[in-house]
Amino acid sequence: MSKSIIHTEQAPAAIGAYSQAVKAGNTVYLSGQIPLDPQTMQLVSDTFEAQAHQVFKNLRAVCEAAGGSLNDVVKINAYLTDLSDFSTFNQVMEQYFVQPFPARAAVGVAALPRGALVEAEAVMVL
């Protein structure tokens, strides 16, 4: 099976030794996105809601670069530094996905890169 690397300027560049996404067969594995503005590479805001929106915008850009959309996502793993933001995360996510929603895990973590409040990664099937 061949694999191809997915990259777009519409999402933040990798800040470590990883690709934005890797396509293997008809499955695309999207690396975790934190709420960086793709042009400035800075956090978009210090509010959780604004950061959550940017995370989904970044994921959407990578999905589109891979030839799909958020509607093709089958699994999301989300990481929140404060689980009291869980309901806000749900409200924001509902603005980017339609039912049936993808499978998802949401985990509380101590910290995220660059001081982000939220990060999400996804698996997409084309």
Side-chain angles (χ1 to χ4, degrees), residues 10-11 30 33-36 48-64 69-70 73 75-80 88-97 102 104 118-122:
Q10 302 306 308
L30 288 83
Q33 287 290 332
I34 59 173
L36 296 178
F48 180 86
E49 184 174 358
Q51 287 194 17
H53 277 287
Q54 189 64 45
V55 163
F56 287 116
K57 289 174 186 176
N58 292 344
L59 286 173
R60 179 175 58 202
V62 178
C63 286
E64 291 171 354
S69 73
L70 288 175
V73 169
K75 177 71 163 83
I76 293 176
N77 292 324
Y79 309 96
L80 289 70
T88 302
F89 185 79
N90 284 332
Q91 292 168 0
V92 172
M93 184 173 164
E94 286 177 347
Q95 297 176 46
Y96 292 88
F97 293 88
R104 189 187 83 190
V118 59
E119 178 174 357
E121 62 177 314

Side-chain angles (χ1 to χ4, degrees), residues 1 3-7 19-31 59 61-69 72-75 121-126:
M1 173 178 8
K3 73 176 184 179
S4 57
I5 303 304
I6 307 300
H7 176 77
S19 300
Q20 289 174 330
V22 176
K23 181 179 177 187
N26 66 342
T27 304
V28 181
Y29 301 90
L30 288 83
S31 292
L59 286 173
V62 178
C63 286
E64 291 171 354
S69 73
D72 299 310
V73 169
V74 297
K75 177 71 163 83
E121 62 177 314
V123 177
M124 178 174 70
V125 177
L126 301 173

